[in-house]
Amino acid sequence: MALWAVRAAQAQDVPPGVLQFLRRHEEEEAQHLKQFELLLGMNSYGKTVLPRMPSQWRVLAVHLYGYETVGLEFARLLVGLRPDLTSILEDEEVHVGFFEHEVCTILVHGGPVADGARLAAQAWRRRLPPTVNRYLHDESFASVRDELHRHILGEIDARFLAVGLSAGCEGGSPKAES
Ligand SMILES: [Fe+2]
């Protein structure tokens, strides 16, 4: 689900072990994309320019974690309709788990590094609603779009809160929801 972000992230300076995971991860995301294209009978628009990814690991890890959580929610939706595609959901659970662990490793340091990760999470979360809207653009979502939008953002907020990334945790003021 996060193919382009995962591909672009490999150009950044990441901790040992992460690059290896990203390479395998990219293969899985490319496979998922192919399955989606077959399913939907269309080609995704071929991106030639990769998105610009943050160079600081604390920020990059938060972005990848965020995109993976979105991917996981969409995989859940998909498997609700197509239980035969459970392997996609399983892959996404692994991806989310990997970056959740990386984010927790960053947060456990405390201090400015952890604060930087939290700030990155707040900024990423502020930009999330239009992104989710874009993913829900297809007319097949029309009747459930608002509900799904709320649900997906709610799930991501709950995760960010649980891992200590959101302002509602560890002494920050509770974050207002958009
Ligand atoms: Fe993923």
Side-chain angles (χ1 to χ4, degrees):
M1 306 261 176
L3 176 62
W4 311 109
V6 167
R7 195 168 280 169
Q10 291 173 53
Q12 303 296 343
D13 192 17
V14 298
V18 172
L19 191 61
Q20 203 182 357
F21 180 82
L22 286 172
R23 285 195 184 123
R24 184 160 56 82
H25 187 172
E26 181 183 339
E27 283 170 30
E28 288 169 358
E29 298 291 359
Q31 192 63 34
H32 296 174
L33 188 62
K34 259 186 229 151
Q35 283 174 290
F36 278 117
E37 286 176 348
L38 277 175
L39 204 65
L40 299 170
M42 60 180 224
N43 279 319
S44 66
Y45 55 105
K47 284 197 180 188
T48 49
V49 180
L50 294 178
R52 201 139 41 107
M53 294 303 282
S55 56
Q56 278 186 326
W57 173 237
R58 75 194 75 161
V59 181
L60 180 58
V62 164
H63 284 209
L64 289 169
Y65 177 51
Y67 287 126
E68 290 303 336
T69 59
V70 175
L72 177 62
E73 291 311 313
F74 276 91
R76 284 198 174 121
L77 277 178
L78 176 71
V79 168
L81 301 168
R82 288 286 306 264
D84 56 314
L85 296 177
T86 301
S87 67
I88 290 184
L89 180 60
E90 288 166 354
D91 285 346
E92 293 304 325
E93 280 168 347
V94 172
H95 301 165
V96 168
F98 181 87
F99 290 108
E100 190 163 277
H101 174 78
E102 292 298 323
V103 164
C104 288
T105 303
I106 290 165
L107 292 177
V108 101
H109 281 104
V113 174
D115 289 344
R118 288 195 187 92
L119 281 174
Q122 282 170 36
W124 182 86
R125 173 60 180 82
R126 275 197 298 273
R127 295 193 299 270
L128 183 59
T131 307
V132 173
N133 263 336
R134 243 190 349 266
Y135 293 155
L136 293 172
H137 177 71
D138 193 273
E139 64 189 45
S140 57
F141 289 120
S143 64
V144 287
R145 186 176 290 129
D146 291 349
E147 192 186 329
L148 282 178
H149 192 259
R150 259 196 315 277
H151 173 75
I152 291 168
L153 294 184
E155 289 293 314
I156 287 157
D157 286 340
R159 267 192 183 274
F160 276 23
L161 189 65
V163 299
L165 262 183
S166 76
C169 206
E170 311 219 357
S173 56
K175 191 154 59 86
E177 293 313 318
S178 55

